[in-house]
PDB file of all heavy atoms in Angstrom:
ATOM      1  N   ASP A 944     110.947 110.177 119.787  1.00 97.00           N
ATOM      2  CA  ASP A 944     109.966 109.316 119.149  1.00 97.00           C
ATOM      3  C   ASP A 944     109.382 108.361 120.156  1.00 97.00           C
ATOM      4  O   ASP A 944     108.188 108.478 120.551  1.00 97.00           O
ATOM      5  CB  ASP A 944     110.639 108.531 118.020  1.00 97.00           C
ATOM      6  CG  ASP A 944     109.669 107.627 117.287  1.00 97.00           C
ATOM      7  OD1 ASP A 944     108.433 107.926 117.351  1.00 97.00           O
ATOM      8  OD2 ASP A 944     110.054 106.646 116.646  1.00 97.00           O
ATOM      9  N   SER A 945     110.118 107.320 120.666  1.00 97.00           N
ATOM     10  CA  SER A 945     109.466 106.186 121.254  1.00 97.00           C
ATOM     11  C   SER A 945     108.825 106.497 122.605  1.00 97.00           C
ATOM     12  O   SER A 945     107.886 105.868 123.014  1.00 97.00           O
ATOM     13  CB  SER A 945     110.394 104.984 121.364  1.00 97.00           C
ATOM     14  OG  SER A 945     111.470 105.243 122.141  1.00 97.00           O
ATOM     15  N   VAL A 947     107.141 109.144 123.441  1.00 97.00           N
ATOM     16  CA  VAL A 947     105.908 109.873 123.257  1.00 97.00           C
ATOM     17  C   VAL A 947     104.914 109.139 122.325  1.00 97.00           C
ATOM     18  O   VAL A 947     105.341 108.561 121.358  1.00 97.00           O
ATOM     19  CB  VAL A 947     106.221 111.258 122.582  1.00 97.00           C
ATOM     20  CG1 VAL A 947     104.982 112.108 122.402  1.00 97.00           C
ATOM     21  CG2 VAL A 947     107.305 112.008 123.445  1.00 97.00           C
ATOM     22  N   GLY A 948     103.638 109.083 122.751  1.00 97.00           N
ATOM     23  CA  GLY A 948     102.676 108.480 121.901  1.00 97.00           C
ATOM     24  C   GLY A 948     102.152 107.173 122.289  1.00 97.00           C
ATOM     25  O   GLY A 948     101.159 106.685 121.749  1.00 97.00           O
ATOM     26  N   LYS A 950     103.100 103.960 122.267  1.00 97.00           N
ATOM     27  CA  LYS A 950     103.374 102.621 121.717  1.00 97.00           C
ATOM     28  C   LYS A 950     104.272 101.863 122.597  1.00 97.00           C
ATOM     29  O   LYS A 950     105.394 102.391 122.913  1.00 97.00           O
ATOM     30  CB  LYS A 950     103.935 102.722 120.325  1.00 97.00           C
ATOM     31  CG  LYS A 950     102.907 102.945 119.198  1.00 97.00           C
ATOM     32  CD  LYS A 950     103.526 102.766 117.852  1.00 97.00           C
ATOM     33  CE  LYS A 950     102.479 103.035 116.726  1.00 97.00           C
ATOM     34  NZ  LYS A 950     103.105 103.002 115.459  1.00 97.00           N
ATOM     35  N   GLU A 992     115.274 110.290 113.066  1.00 98.00           N
ATOM     36  CA  GLU A 992     113.904 110.469 113.402  1.00 98.00           C
ATOM     37  C   GLU A 992     113.625 111.985 113.504  1.00 98.00           C
ATOM     38  O   GLU A 992     112.411 112.377 113.259  1.00 98.00           O
ATOM     39  CB  GLU A 992     113.572 109.746 114.749  1.00 98.00           C
ATOM     40  CG  GLU A 992     113.789 108.317 114.770  1.00 98.00           C
ATOM     41  CD  GLU A 992     112.684 107.460 114.117  1.00 98.00           C
ATOM     42  OE1 GLU A 992     111.743 107.991 113.569  1.00 98.00           O
ATOM     43  OE2 GLU A 992     112.857 106.186 114.061  1.00 98.00           O
ATOM     44  N   LYS A 995     113.156 113.218 110.023  1.00 98.00           N
ATOM     45  CA  LYS A 995     111.886 112.650 109.525  1.00 98.00           C
ATOM     46  C   LYS A 995     110.759 113.709 109.748  1.00 98.00           C
ATOM     47  O   LYS A 995     109.894 113.830 108.831  1.00 98.00           O
ATOM     48  CB  LYS A 995     111.551 111.356 110.328  1.00 98.00           C
ATOM     49  CG  LYS A 995     110.319 110.689 109.990  1.00 98.00           C
ATOM     50  CD  LYS A 995     110.019 109.513 110.928  1.00 98.00           C
ATOM     51  CE  LYS A 995     109.445 109.997 112.267  1.00 98.00           C
ATOM     52  NZ  LYS A 995     109.140 108.917 113.192  1.00 98.00           N
ATOM     53  N   LYS A1034     105.324 115.229 116.787  1.00 98.00           N
ATOM     54  CA  LYS A1034     104.740 113.903 117.094  1.00 98.00           C
ATOM     55  C   LYS A1034     103.426 114.018 117.939  1.00 98.00           C
ATOM     56  O   LYS A1034     102.489 113.309 117.643  1.00 98.00           O
ATOM     57  CB  LYS A1034     105.712 113.007 117.904  1.00 98.00           C
ATOM     58  CG  LYS A1034     105.179 111.678 118.292  1.00 98.00           C
ATOM     59  CD  LYS A1034     106.062 110.551 118.240  1.00 98.00           C
ATOM     60  CE  LYS A1034     105.307 109.237 118.348  1.00 98.00           C
ATOM     61  NZ  LYS A1034     106.214 108.113 118.536  1.00 98.00           N
ATOM     62  N   VAL A1038      99.942 112.338 116.918  1.00 97.00           N
ATOM     63  CA  VAL A1038      99.391 111.347 117.838  1.00 97.00           C
ATOM     64  C   VAL A1038      98.003 111.761 118.345  1.00 97.00           C
ATOM     65  O   VAL A1038      97.057 110.935 118.480  1.00 97.00           O
ATOM     66  CB  VAL A1038     100.321 111.018 119.029  1.00 97.00           C
ATOM     67  CG1 VAL A1038      99.749 110.318 120.122  1.00 97.00           C
ATOM     68  CG2 VAL A1038     101.639 110.248 118.495  1.00 97.00           C
ATOM     69  N   GLU A1044      96.593 104.884 115.300  1.00 92.00           N
ATOM     70  CA  GLU A1044      97.002 104.657 113.885  1.00 92.00           C
ATOM     71  C   GLU A1044      95.887 104.016 113.090  1.00 92.00           C
ATOM     72  O   GLU A1044      96.099 103.009 112.409  1.00 92.00           O
ATOM     73  CB  GLU A1044      98.297 103.717 113.907  1.00 92.00           C
ATOM     74  CG  GLU A1044      99.130 103.961 112.627  1.00 92.00           C
ATOM     75  CD  GLU A1044     100.523 103.370 112.822  1.00 92.00           C
ATOM     76  OE1 GLU A1044     101.184 103.591 113.864  1.00 92.00           O
ATOM     77  OE2 GLU A1044     100.904 102.578 111.856  1.00 92.00           O
ATOM     78  N   ARG A1049      98.790 108.887 111.817  1.00 95.00           N
ATOM     79  CA  ARG A1049      99.970 108.436 112.591  1.00 95.00           C
ATOM     80  C   ARG A1049     100.881 107.582 111.697  1.00 95.00           C
ATOM     81  O   ARG A1049     102.108 107.607 111.974  1.00 95.00           O
ATOM     82  CB  ARG A1049      99.504 107.669 113.821  1.00 95.00           C
ATOM     83  CG  ARG A1049     100.695 107.299 114.752  1.00 95.00           C
ATOM     84  CD  ARG A1049     100.273 106.830 116.113  1.00 95.00           C
ATOM     85  NE  ARG A1049     101.472 106.586 116.834  1.00 95.00           N
ATOM     86  CZ  ARG A1049     101.538 106.422 118.194  1.00 95.00           C
ATOM     87  NH1 ARG A1049     100.442 106.588 118.882  1.00 95.00           N
ATOM     88  NH2 ARG A1049     102.680 106.255 118.793  1.00 95.00           N
ATOM     89  N   LEU A1052     104.321 108.780 110.556  1.00 96.00           N
ATOM     90  CA  LEU A1052     105.541 108.622 111.370  1.00 96.00           C
ATOM     91  C   LEU A1052     106.391 107.452 110.868  1.00 96.00           C
ATOM     92  O   LEU A1052     107.515 107.315 111.348  1.00 96.00           O
ATOM     93  CB  LEU A1052     105.125 108.415 112.851  1.00 96.00           C
ATOM     94  CG  LEU A1052     104.444 109.601 113.506  1.00 96.00           C
ATOM     95  CD1 LEU A1052     103.989 109.227 114.873  1.00 96.00           C
ATOM     96  CD2 LEU A1052     105.406 110.784 113.636  1.00 96.00           C
ATOM     97  N   ASN A1053     105.870 106.649 110.028  1.00 94.00           N
ATOM     98  CA  ASN A1053     106.576 105.490 109.587  1.00 94.00           C
ATOM     99  C   ASN A1053     107.420 105.823 108.313  1.00 94.00           C
ATOM    100  O   ASN A1053     108.014 104.898 107.680  1.00 94.00           O
ATOM    101  CB  ASN A1053     105.672 104.324 109.254  1.00 94.00           C
ATOM    102  CG  ASN A1053     104.992 103.794 110.485  1.00 94.00           C
ATOM    103  OD1 ASN A1053     105.611 103.727 111.573  1.00 94.00           O
ATOM    104  ND2 ASN A1053     103.713 103.507 110.389  1.00 94.00           N
ATOM    105  N   HIS A1056     110.516 103.890 107.394  1.00 94.00           N
ATOM    106  CA  HIS A1056     110.561 102.646 108.212  1.00 94.00           C
ATOM    107  C   HIS A1056     110.343 101.375 107.508  1.00 94.00           C
ATOM    108  O   HIS A1056     110.806 100.306 107.912  1.00 94.00           O
ATOM    109  CB  HIS A1056     109.561 102.757 109.353  1.00 94.00           C
ATOM    110  CG  HIS A1056     109.995 103.700 110.475  1.00 94.00           C
ATOM    111  ND1 HIS A1056     110.202 105.092 110.247  1.00 94.00           N
ATOM    112  CD2 HIS A1056     110.318 103.490 111.755  1.00 94.00           C
ATOM    113  CE1 HIS A1056     110.543 105.609 111.428  1.00 94.00           C
ATOM    114  NE2 HIS A1056     110.623 104.715 112.308  1.00 94.00           N
TER     115      HIS A1056
HETATM  116  N1  LIG B2418     107.268 105.403 116.108  1.00 82.17           N
HETATM  117  C1  LIG B2418     106.052 105.509 115.344  1.00 82.17           C
HETATM  118  C2  LIG B2418     104.858 105.847 116.193  1.00 82.17           C
HETATM  119  O1  LIG B2418     105.108 106.170 117.398  1.00 82.17           O
HETATM  120  O2  LIG B2418     103.861 105.821 115.675  1.00 82.17           O
END
Side-chain angles (χ1 to χ4, degrees):
D944 184 25
S945 61
V947 179
K950 278 191 182 174
E992 303 278 1
K995 179 187 82 176
K1034 179 145 191 187
V1038 165
E1044 207 166 310
R1049 187 164 182 163
L1052 295 171
N1053 295 322
H1056 285 62

